[in-house]
Amino acid sequence: MLRGAATRIKPLISEVMPSTPGPSRHSRAGLPIVGSQPRHARGTIARCIHCSGRARQVQVQGKSVALAHDIEPSGLEVLKKITARASYRDPITRYRHLVDVKTLRPDPHQESIIQKLQRLWTDLKTYDPGPLPPETPEIKSGLFGRFFAGGSGQQTSTKSFDDVPKGLYLHGSVGTGKTMLMDLFYTTLPPQFGPTKYGATRIHFHSFMLDVQRRQHEVTKRYEAMGMGKKDALPEVARSLAAEGRVLCFDEFQVTDIVTAMLLRGLLERLMGYGVVCVMTSNRHPDELYLNGIQRTSFLPAIELLKQRFEIVDLDSETDYRKIPRALSHTYYQPLDTGTAVEMTKLFESLTSADPISSEVVSDKKLPLWGRKLNIPESSGSVARFTFQDLCGKPLSAADYLEVTNKFGTLFVEGVPRMGLSERDMARRFITFIDACYENKVKLFISSEVPIFQVFSDEKAGSSADDSHMRSIMDDLGLSADEIGSSSLFSGDEELFAFARCVSRLSQMGTQEWSGQSGIHRDPPRSEISETE
């Protein structure tokens, strides 16, 4: 019956993805003629295409369309999938589709933000960044090589800033929907920014800066080997980044160290000089970046560049999208007793036995980490099991955690203690680890001494409700002092925000929605995105 159902819905499919021009055999039943008609349905069609009785209706690009009485649910699902795929046309169409299928709730403030994305999408639709200059040519070492290297190979800009569409800088506090907005924009980019032409890159800003520093090191070594001395590597680094994507989407843009602060202005200017358009999400307005940082006055020109070449958009509204009620998934277990240990072992064995990459469990596998090796107590192809001490009791960095979460889509972390002042360094590493898990959409199972939201509480501290900063954060997250306990671990604004973000992310990662979407290491190419809504 599916073949017949697919035949009967073909004219509706053509409404979404038009085929060759020609009249539909169903046009007499009230369905719009395909080919010479607009792509959108022209009105409400509520009659069966066979008996003219009232028929079941579905939404096609926001319009009600009637189906034949005898179309089976399987045929209806085909139409829904096609409609969902067609919604990736542009940001506003995609947003309205997600509202129609009740994935998102209608929100006038959020829709006004989507219009900002739509503005940039419209600018990009007709934008051609043009060709890039060639890579610096190989120059042989030696006297003649050094002689000719002096004035050759310097990369030059290919675009005037005025010819590059103005980027977007989206800033807001925890729970303002930054990740969803970036997902929506990245997956609806115009086709010339697909992988076969100019390309686009979406990356966490911390990972991006690590990549920039790695490229700088490699280019500098190559220049020295070519007899080019201390030639500036940044133009070639920017050119190589532009070659991989003329649209750059940064999640969690922040400046916390002097290396990033000093690099940023020159890097952004060179990227824009190669026609790159940037979209950023951040927790801070540009004026609040790198506050109290070393040599901040040297960073102020970068702030001015952001304010001049980006549309600054405040995402804060009265709605915290992470606080919208969602069904919880059982991923966090406590206390640390025999029953919890047995349950974690059962889960691990169940998931590894069904691991599509490799179900063989290997003990003490070594994972290379930036010149060192991390011991993985137990792992299969995409599932790994650690203790808290394995991950946070050692001086691991954000780069290390990103490597681990890139390698494994599902992680078990056992034995998370309640952390007080004496475990402050471990608490910071745990927060960094959770950030890496969130960024790489890892499915996470944790066993802890106390409920997961209380692991940062120390019994010696006073009530969290007594601190105005902590009280504000708890209000934003919809948590009470009883739920997260009290803590003296965090003091500065950046630490308090990192704590708030971690608690919020742990909450989101404990939902059924996250469980169903996690375990994938990276976003699929936009051309391959499908949907089963």
Side-chain angles (χ1 to χ4, degrees):
M1 192 63 185
L2 176 58
R3 181 178 298 175
T7 300
R8 277 186 290 279
I9 65 172
K10 188 174 181 180
L12 304 184
I13 294 173
S14 299
E15 277 295 296
V16 181
M17 296 180 175
S19 57
T20 56
S24 164
R25 68 183 181 87
H26 290 163
S27 59
R28 291 185 180 179
L31 290 167
I33 295 174
V34 183
S36 60
Q37 297 294 319
R39 293 180 67 185
H40 291 275
R42 293 182 120 194
T44 299
I45 304 167
R47 298 292 175 184
C48 174
I49 61 177
H50 296 310
C51 67
S52 297
R54 293 195 63 83
R56 183 196 326 231
Q57 296 183 28
V58 294
Q59 292 289 313
V60 177
Q61 295 197 351
K63 302 293 184 181
S64 294
V65 177
L67 299 178
H69 285 136
D70 58 347
I71 288 184
E72 291 184 343
S74 55
L76 182 61
E77 289 303 312
V78 172
L79 180 61
K80 285 184 177 179
K81 289 180 181 180
I82 293 169
T83 307
R85 179 179 286 274
S87 73
Y88 285 97
R89 185 177 58 189
D90 59 61
I92 196 67
T93 301
R94 179 65 183 155
Y95 174 76
R96 288 171 180 168
H97 169 75
L98 293 174
V99 171
D100 285 344
V101 298
K102 296 181 171 49
T103 299
L104 298 177
R105 295 184 178 188
D107 184 327
H109 177 77
Q110 196 167 64
E111 183 159 0
S112 70
I113 302 299
I114 302 296
Q115 295 292 350
K116 306 286 187 182
L117 300 178
Q118 188 73 18
R119 186 276 304 167
L120 180 54
W121 184 92
T122 301
D123 290 347
L124 290 174
K125 186 179 180 182
T126 56
Y127 174 58
D128 184 354
L132 289 169
E135 184 178 359
T136 301
E138 187 79 22
I139 298 177
K140 295 181 180 180
S141 59
L143 177 62
F144 288 102
R146 287 192 294 272
F147 177 79
F148 287 110
S152 65
Q154 184 65 42
Q155 308 291 357
T156 57
S157 298
T158 59
K159 281 281 184 183
S160 164
F161 285 1
D162 292 336
D163 295 332
V164 179
K166 202 170 188 179
L168 278 176
Y169 184 101
L170 311 174
H171 70 95
S173 55
V174 171
T176 50
K178 295 188 292 293
T179 299
M180 184 279 294
L181 290 168
M182 188 68 88
D183 283 338
L184 192 147
F185 181 75
Y186 180 74
T187 56
T188 59
L189 282 169
Q192 72 266 35
F193 297 101
T196 60
K197 195 170 184 182
Y198 290 125
T201 301
R202 179 181 174 182
I203 189 169
H204 191 278
F205 184 68
H206 185 80
S207 300
F208 173 75
M209 289 307 301
L210 288 172
D211 185 42
V212 167
Q213 291 170 37
R214 177 187 61 79
R215 292 180 193 233
Q216 265 195 311
H217 178 68
E218 292 175 353
V219 171
T220 299
K221 285 179 62 178
R222 190 166 80 244
Y223 283 173
E224 290 176 353
M226 291 162 61
M228 302 173 74
K230 297 294 184 180
K231 179 179 176 180
D232 184 10
L234 202 56
E236 172 56 25
V237 170
R239 192 207 64 81
S240 67
L241 290 167
E244 295 177 5
R246 299 297 188 92
V247 175
L248 266 176
C249 298
F250 296 129
D251 277 317
E252 302 288 346
F253 181 84
Q254 56 182 326
V255 182
T256 57
D257 60 85
I258 191 170
V259 175
T260 301
M262 296 301 102
L263 274 177
L264 202 54
R265 182 190 177 189
L267 181 60
L268 288 176
E269 285 180 337
R270 286 173 172 84
L271 286 171
M272 287 187 285
Y274 292 135
V276 175
V277 179
C278 296
V279 180
M280 308 176 181
T281 67
S282 180
N283 308 315
R284 300 281 186 260
H285 186 280
D287 287 333
E288 297 174 356
L289 292 170
Y290 199 47
L291 282 175
N292 304 315
I294 298 172
Q295 299 181 27
R296 187 174 187 266
T297 53
S298 300
F299 179 66
L300 295 180
I303 292 176
E304 290 306 309
L305 179 67
L306 290 172
K307 290 159 70 174
Q308 290 171 9
R309 300 305 312 164
F310 289 76
E311 182 178 2
I312 312 300
V313 182
D314 186 353
L315 301 181
D316 287 328
S317 72
E318 295 179 357
T319 303
D320 183 340
Y321 301 101
R322 292 182 189 169
K323 286 165 57 178
I324 294 174
R326 295 170 177 155
L328 295 178
S329 175
H330 202 180
T331 58
Y332 306 136
Y333 296 83
Q334 81 281 330
L336 298 178
D337 58 14
T338 303
T340 295
V342 169
E343 189 66 26
M344 292 286 280
T345 297
K346 286 181 179 178
L347 277 169
F348 180 75
E349 291 175 350
S350 174
L351 290 173
T352 53
S353 65
D355 191 331
I357 297 178
S358 173
S359 59
E360 180 185 1
V361 176
V362 179
S363 297
D364 298 321
K365 183 178 180 179
K366 307 299 181 184
L367 179 66
L369 293 179
W370 299 79
R372 297 171 285 110
K373 290 186 178 180
L374 176 68
N375 182 66
I376 306 171
E378 291 183 281
S379 64
S380 61
S382 62
V383 182
R385 189 178 189 181
F386 295 91
T387 67
F388 176 80
Q389 286 293 329
D390 292 328
L391 291 172
C392 302
K394 302 172 183 177
L396 300 182
S397 68
D400 298 328
Y401 294 132
L402 287 168
E403 288 289 332
V404 172
T405 55
N406 272 321
K407 174 69 175 176
F408 300 102
T410 300
L411 292 175
F412 285 73
V413 182
E414 300 182 53
V416 178
R418 183 198 294 265
M419 288 171 267
L421 281 173
S422 59
E423 293 82 29
R424 188 170 187 171
D425 287 342
M426 289 192 289
R428 287 170 172 166
R429 292 184 199 122
F430 185 67
I431 289 173
T432 304
F433 168 71
I434 296 300
D435 285 344
C437 289
Y438 185 86
E439 171 61 25
N440 283 314
K441 294 182 170 62
V442 167
K443 186 175 293 184
L444 189 62
F445 296 91
I446 296 177
S447 66
S448 56
E449 180 183 354
V450 294
I452 190 64
F453 300 121
Q454 295 181 14
V455 296
F456 298 115
S457 65
D458 52 7
E459 296 172 342
K460 295 180 181 179
S463 170
S464 294
D466 294 338
D467 186 280
S468 60
H469 284 289
M470 294 291 284
R471 185 169 60 249
S472 173
I473 288 168
M474 288 188 292
D475 288 344
D476 287 343
L477 295 173
L479 299 173
S480 69
D482 292 336
E483 288 176 296
I484 68 169
S486 54
S487 179
S488 56
L489 289 175
F490 310 108
S491 53
D493 286 344
E494 292 297 329
E495 286 191 340
L496 285 171
F497 184 85
F499 157 74
R501 184 178 61 210
C502 182
V503 173
S504 178
R505 288 179 169 180
L506 282 169
S507 176
Q508 187 176 359
M509 293 164 73
T511 64
Q512 286 184 5
E513 180 185 21
W514 182 270
S515 180
Q517 296 176 350
S518 57
I520 301 172
H521 291 175
R522 56 186 61 85
D523 293 329
R526 294 188 306 280
S527 59
E528 299 177 7
I529 290 173
S530 61
E531 192 169 324
T532 56
E533 293 167 339

